[in-house]
Amino acid sequence: MASVYIDETAGSDLTGVGSQEAPYQSLAHALFTHGQSARVLVRKDPSAEYEEPTQSALKKAKKGADGLEKKRKKAEELAEAATVEREKRERLLEESKKIQLVEDATLPAAVKAKILSLTPLRGKRARVLGWVHRLRSQKDIIFIVLRDGTGYLQAVLSGTPAQTYEALTLTLESTVELIGTLQPTPEGKTAPGGHELIVDFWRTLGTAPGGDDAFTNRLNEKSDPSILADLRHLVLRGENASSVLRLRAAMLSAFRAALSDHHLMEVTPPCLVQTQVEGGATLFKLEYYGQPAFLTQSSQLYLETCLPSLGDVFCVQESFRAENSHTRRHLSEYTHLEAELAFITFDDLMDHIETIICETVDKLLQNESSAALIRQLNPSFTPPARPFKRLSYVDAIAWLNEHGILHEAEDADGNVIKDASGEPTMVPHAIGDDIAEAAERKMTDIIGTPIFLHSFPAELKAFYMKKKEGTTTPPATAGSGGRSGIFTESCDLLMPGVGEIVGGSMRIADIDELLAAYKREGIDPAPYYWFTDQRKYGTCEHGGYGLGVERFLAWLANRYTIRECTLYPRWPGRATP
C-alpha cells in the first residue's frame, strides 16, 4: 500500500495529492480522501523527517475525517435538493408560458393615476405605472412595492396574475403597468398610503436584468464611494437619495416664498462672465468666441445692477469655484441663492438673513409632506431659536484661544511650518489670521447654536465689501503681521454640524472708494464699468449675501457630505456621470 504524505506547514489540502512532492496539510483531510485505513506519514515542516502519526493524533484525525464526510453528504443532499428545486422551477416556468393573462372587459374601466393621487380611488379600479421598488414572493402570492416618483404603492398579485411567466421572472427595477382594485390596508397591517392594490391585470413594460447584472448586484449598502459616484444615476432610485432631492425641491420653493413675502424679486443672471468676484485663483477659464471668459463665481455684481429698477432681488443660480478641495462641504459647482437689498444697514442685513432662514424652516415644517421628509432624514431636527448669536471676529479669536483651539503655523509664503517629527506646528490664533474651517466648525459645534461671525479684517475679504468706520486692531490683540487693522461690515452664518452656510456683507457705495479698491487689488476697472456705474448714477447703501443651497440642505437633512445634496455632484476630478 502506497503511503500518503502530510506536511503540516508546506502542504495543501486544496492542491496536494498526498505524494512527497505534493503533500496534504492535514491528517484529517488525508484520511477523508484515502480512507481511514490508509498508511499515512506526517512531518511538522519540510526540514523534518516523515513519521507515522501518534495514536492520539490518528484518533483526533479520524474524528475530523468523519466530520468532513458528514459535510460532504450534507453538500450532496443540498445539491440534490437544489437540482430538484431547479427542475421544479424549470417545469413551473415552462407551464407558466401557457398562461395568458387577459383583462376582464366586464369590470369597470380603471382610472389612470399617480400614486400620490390614489386615495380618492379607494374601492375603485385604478391603473398605475412605475418601477418595481421591492419584490417578495410568499407561497402563491407576489407582493410588489411600486415607485412612480410621487410615492410608493403596495400591490398584491395572487391567482392567475401571480402564475404567468412574467410574474415568475419579474425583477427589481422593471417597469410595469398594474390594474386592480384599490383597497384600504387590512386592520393590523401597514402599507404606504394606508391602502394596497389588489391586481387583476398587469404587464411588464420594461424588464430589468437579473443575474450578475441585477440591480442589487451592481449597487448595495457595501458599495465603495467611488462606485456610488459612478452609479449616481442608480443611487437616485434609493429612498434616502430621492428623499433628499425631494426635500431640496421643497426647500427651494419655501425659500422663494419667504423671499417673495419680503418683496424680493427673482432674476436670472448669466453664468458666462468676464469679471471676477471672489479672486482670480478660483476661476474656471474658457474661450468665448475668441475672447477670454469665466464661469461665474457669484451673481452678486449683476444683482446689484437690478436694485435701481427692480428693487430688492434674488437669484438661485449655479456658481463655480476652481478650488482643489475635497472636503465634505465643498463642490466645484454648487447652487447659490444670492440676494441684494437697497437702503439697509449692516444690522438690517443680518436681521434679514435670520428672518429668511427661520421663515423658510417654518414653511417646511408647516407643510405635511416636507415635514415628513425632515422627520425621515433628520428625526432629531429642531428649528433654530431666535435671535441668532452674533460674535465679532475679534471676539471669536479670543474665544478660540480661551478654549485651546489652535491652528497650523504658516511661514511668510503661506506654507505650513512643521516640527521635527513632521507634524504641523500648532499655535494660538492672532488678529489677522483667517479662521480655518476646522476651528470654525469646532467653535460652532461647542456653542451649539447658529452664529453670525462678523466684522472680518479687510485683508481677508473681497474688494467690494464696505469698511467699518473707526475700527482698528485693538492694541491688546496686536500681532496682525502688518495688517491694516481695518475691519469690514461682513458676516458668515455658521450652523452646527456644517459650518458656514451664508456669507454676506454691505457693499462699497462710494465710487472713489470702489476705484481705490480696484487699484489696491490690482484689478483693471475697465471691464467693471457697468458695476462702477451703480455708484455714479444714484448710489445707495446696500448689501447682500450668498447662501450655499447644498450646505443648508446638509444641515436640514443631517447629511454628512454636501455631495449627497445635489443631483450630480461635481468636485475636483469628478465630472461624470
Side-chain angles (χ1 to χ4, degrees):
M1 181 186 295
S3 297
V4 179
Y5 294 89
I6 299 99
D7 186 321
E8 294 179 351
T9 302
S12 171
D13 289 342
L14 293 176
T15 61
V17 295
S19 66
Q20 280 188 284
E21 295 77 17
Y24 295 121
Q25 186 177 37
S26 69
L27 182 54
H29 183 80
L31 296 180
F32 165 69
T33 305
H34 296 274
Q36 297 195 8
S37 60
R39 182 171 182 270
V40 291
L41 295 172
V42 183
R43 67 181 179 185
K44 296 293 184 184
D45 57 66
S47 64
E49 296 292 329
Y50 280 108
E51 298 176 346
E52 291 187 358
T54 63
Q55 288 300 311
S56 60
L58 203 56
K59 184 178 180 181
K60 183 178 179 181
K62 286 180 178 180
K63 286 184 178 180
D66 290 340
L68 291 172
E69 177 63 19
K70 288 179 182 178
K71 286 183 180 179
R72 184 190 67 78
K73 288 182 178 179
K74 184 66 174 177
E76 283 184 354
E77 291 172 2
L78 291 174
E80 185 178 346
T83 300
V84 171
E85 188 63 31
R86 184 173 62 255
E87 291 174 350
K88 178 182 176 182
R89 178 166 175 79
E90 288 173 355
R91 289 194 300 271
L92 185 63
L93 288 174
E94 204 58 40
E95 288 295 318
S96 70
K97 293 178 182 178
K98 302 174 184 177
I99 300 173
Q100 296 298 317
L101 192 61
V102 179
E103 186 173 6
D104 189 342
T106 65
L107 294 173
V111 178
K112 182 182 176 183
K114 293 287 188 181
I115 291 173
L116 184 68
S117 307
L118 281 175
T119 301
L121 296 178
R122 286 182 182 175
K124 301 177 182 178
R125 292 185 80 234
R127 175 176 170 235
V128 190
L129 300 95
W131 288 260
V132 177
H133 186 66
R134 291 198 186 93
L135 182 62
R136 177 169 59 93
S137 295
Q138 182 178 311
K139 293 183 180 180
D140 297 325
I141 301 176
I142 297 175
F143 293 93
I144 295 174
V145 174
L146 194 70
R147 181 188 74 241
D148 74 348
T150 70
Y152 300 90
L153 170 68
Q154 179 169 290
V156 182
L157 281 63
S158 61
T160 304
Q163 296 167 1
T164 65
Y165 182 79
E166 283 185 323
L168 298 179
T169 58
L170 187 59
T171 51
L172 285 176
E173 294 303 323
S174 292
T175 45
V176 295
E177 175 186 26
L178 305 179
I179 297 175
T181 303
L182 191 67
Q183 300 285 14
T185 308
E187 189 174 347
K189 304 288 184 180
T190 59
H195 46 232
E196 59 186 10
L197 191 70
I198 309 303
V199 176
D200 55 60
F201 177 80
W202 75 282
R203 61 191 177 116
T204 303
L205 304 176
T207 303
D212 292 341
D213 208 25
F215 186 83
T216 50
N217 285 334
R218 294 196 67 192
L219 194 67
N220 56 59
E221 294 177 354
K222 297 180 181 179
S223 295
D224 185 88
S226 63
I227 300 296
L228 295 177
D230 289 339
L231 300 181
R232 178 68 176 169
H233 60 294
L234 299 181
V235 170
L236 296 176
R237 301 186 181 205
E239 291 177 30
N240 274 347
S242 60
S243 292
V244 169
L245 294 180
R246 261 186 260 278
L247 181 56
R248 177 188 169 107
M251 183 187 81
L252 288 173
S253 293
F255 264 121
R256 285 185 164 100
L259 290 160
S260 179
D261 288 346
H262 289 270
H263 311 295
L264 276 77
M265 179 180 292
E266 184 171 5
V267 294
T268 51
C271 280
L272 287 169
V273 300
Q274 292 187 303
T275 51
Q276 68 184 50
V277 182
E278 299 296 336
T282 64
L283 284 167
F284 282 108
K285 190 174 182 180
L286 61 137
E287 185 178 302
Y288 184 69
Y289 299 106
Q291 295 181 321
F294 314 101
L295 295 177
T296 185
Q297 300 165 311
S298 166
S299 297
Q300 175 208 319
L301 306 190
Y302 292 96
L303 292 180
E304 288 189 47
T305 68
C306 298
L307 294 177
S309 57
L310 302 177
D312 300 342
V313 291
F314 77 96
C315 71
V316 181
Q317 181 68 282
E318 300 307 294
S319 285
F320 303 84
R321 301 284 172 91
E323 296 177 88
N324 192 19
S325 178
H326 294 263
T327 77
R328 61 189 177 98
R329 67 174 213 168
H330 281 89
L331 291 170
S332 298
E333 175 187 3
Y334 66 97
T335 305
H336 212 173
L337 190 157
E338 298 182 85
E340 290 293 320
L341 301 94
F343 304 108
I344 61 169
T345 66
F346 186 35
D347 283 334
D348 291 337
L349 176 65
M350 288 188 283
D351 288 344
H352 167 85
I353 295 170
E354 179 178 311
T355 297
I356 294 300
I357 283 176
C358 290
E359 290 185 6
T360 296
V361 170
D362 288 344
K363 289 178 187 294
L364 289 168
L365 294 176
Q366 289 161 8
N367 180 279
E368 184 178 337
S369 60
S370 56
L373 289 170
I374 294 172
R375 288 194 300 270
Q376 173 196 336
L377 297 166
N378 189 2
S380 61
F381 178 79
T382 54
R386 300 179 67 177
F388 294 173
K389 182 179 180 65
R390 298 186 183 185
L391 185 68
S392 74
Y393 166 86
V394 171
D395 289 341
I397 293 291
W399 189 97
L400 291 168
N401 290 334
E402 287 169 7
H403 289 77
I405 299 174
L406 308 179
H407 75 111
E408 296 176 348
E410 296 182 352
D411 60 22
D413 296 323
N415 300 312
V416 175
I417 300 172
K418 297 184 178 181
D419 58 25
S421 64
E423 294 296 317
T425 300
M426 305 302 290
V427 296
H429 288 80
I431 300 297
D433 290 336
D434 192 359
I435 300 174
E437 175 189 334
E440 189 178 80
R441 202 164 57 239
K442 280 183 183 178
M443 178 178 69
T444 310
D445 290 347
I446 290 171
I447 294 174
T449 60
I451 303 170
F452 272 118
L453 188 58
H454 64 86
S455 306
F456 292 90
E459 288 80 3
L460 300 180
K461 289 298 180 180
F463 72 91
Y464 53 76
M465 292 189 179
K466 182 182 179 181
K467 311 301 183 291
K468 294 190 75 169
E469 296 181 5
T471 57
T472 58
T473 304
T477 54
S480 59
R483 302 212 182 249
S484 67
I486 298 173
F487 295 84
T488 55
E489 290 191 342
S490 59
C491 63
D492 289 345
L493 178 58
L494 315 179
M495 284 294 191
V498 179
E500 179 191 346
I501 62 167
V502 179
S505 76
M506 296 298 289
R507 319 308 192 188
I508 292 174
D510 180 76
I511 189 169
D512 293 330
E513 186 181 346
L514 181 60
L515 291 172
Y518 290 145
K519 184 176 182 180
R520 185 175 61 251
E521 297 294 327
I523 296 173
D524 178 6
Y528 292 83
Y529 71 94
W530 51 273
F531 179 67
T532 308
D533 274 357
Q534 304 309 308
R535 283 79 182 163
K536 182 177 181 181
Y537 293 92
T539 189
C540 74
E541 293 297 321
H542 63 288
Y545 58 92
L547 177 145
V549 167
E550 289 82 9
R551 289 188 184 182
F552 189 88
L553 182 56
W555 167 73
L556 188 65
N558 192 31
R559 299 296 96 182
Y560 175 74
T561 169
I562 66 171
R563 294 177 184 180
E564 298 178 47
C565 298
T566 188
L567 189 63
Y568 286 99
R570 298 290 184 250
W571 65 87
R574 169 64 62 176
T576 55

